Amino acid sequence: MNVMLDRPRMHPNVPQSAQRSVTVALVGNPNTGKSTLFSALVGVRQHVGNYPGVTVERKAGRMMLDGRALEVLDLPGLYSLSPRSRDEMVACEVLLGEHKGFDRADAVICVADASNLERSLYLVSQVLELGLPVVLAVNMLDVAEDQGIGANIAVLQQRLPVPVVGIQANRRLGLEELKNALTNVLNSEGT
């Protein structure tokens, strides 16, 4: 069941000036749990449609975070910012602010598969070069652990210039930490 909402609900306890929508893009390789994280963040407050002029599915949802209205975009999975398919092209255009009808994202949550970090970190390195505020969400920690792969969040945090948060989106673990990291990034950028 898809619930269609055109606008976020206005929250009576939040000043209207604070309700300007901030766009946050979820980016990651296919099968990293982006859509699961998207659903965990926005719940049923989502809109599914097509990007204008193409048949690539677009998922957008609304959520409130620290007094801000956020529009969360679940972009199609991609391996790099050198697109090879129409899905990847759309994701790149939205990230760069080059897709008709969409402003450039204000921030990015990069979703990485803990069991295949090397592949995921290649895309993360390219997203970092865009100069957007980024939070890295290392997802599927349970899968990595089952495979005997350790994902050391503390080491990643030391080596990367962005907040790194371990999550299990399917169990909604780490979501509060992710929201706090996103709030901090948005506050530090004045967004």
Side-chain angles (χ1 to χ4, degrees):
M1 176 174 106
N2 292 327
V3 176
M4 304 294 210
L5 294 179
D6 293 292
R7 301 212 180 270
R9 288 185 185 176
M10 291 301 176
H11 296 266
N13 298 331
V14 179
Q16 194 159 354
S17 62
Q19 294 187 28
R20 179 190 79 79
S21 186
V22 173
T23 302
V24 177
L26 294 181
V27 176
N29 297 157
N31 303 313
T32 57
K34 284 188 304 43
S35 294
T36 302
L37 176 59
F38 174 79
S39 293
L41 291 173
V42 303
V44 295
R45 296 175 302 249
Q46 59 182 300
H47 174 84
V48 179
N50 288 326
Y51 286 95
V54 295
T55 57
V56 175
E57 185 179 90
R58 166 191 167 212
K59 283 198 267 183
R62 305 279 183 161
M63 65 180 278
M64 290 300 293
L65 181 66
D66 194 37
R68 280 185 196 95
L70 299 185
E71 180 177 29
V72 181
L73 300 177
D74 182 10
L75 297 181
L78 68 164
Y79 291 105
S80 78
L81 295 183
S82 299
R84 296 185 180 150
S85 70
R86 187 65 189 139
D87 286 8
E88 290 180 340
M89 177 67 77
V90 167
C92 288
E93 288 174 351
V94 171
L95 276 177
L96 297 170
E98 297 174 351
H99 197 79
K100 185 178 179 181
F102 290 90
D103 292 329
R104 186 176 187 194
D106 296 302
V108 178
I109 297 175
C110 288
V111 183
D113 176 355
S115 66
N116 199 349
L117 265 177
E118 187 173 332
R119 177 180 284 178
S120 294
L121 290 176
Y122 178 69
L123 176 61
V124 171
S125 70
Q126 290 184 315
V127 171
L128 288 173
E129 291 177 7
L130 297 177
L132 293 167
V134 173
V135 175
L136 174 59
V138 180
N139 194 21
M140 303 192 308
L141 294 169
D142 54 334
V143 173
E145 186 177 313
D146 289 347
Q147 294 176 3
I149 300 169
N152 192 326
I153 302 300
V155 170
L156 284 170
Q157 183 62 72
Q158 289 174 353
R159 295 186 179 175
L160 294 173
V162 298
V164 180
V165 180
I167 65 168
Q168 282 182 256
N170 63 336
R171 297 172 123 189
R172 297 178 183 258
L173 298 175
L175 293 188
E176 286 308 310
E177 293 84 354
L178 178 62
K179 290 176 184 179
N180 290 338
L182 182 58
T183 297
N184 292 337
V185 164
L186 291 172
N187 286 341
S188 69
E189 294 294 320
T191 305

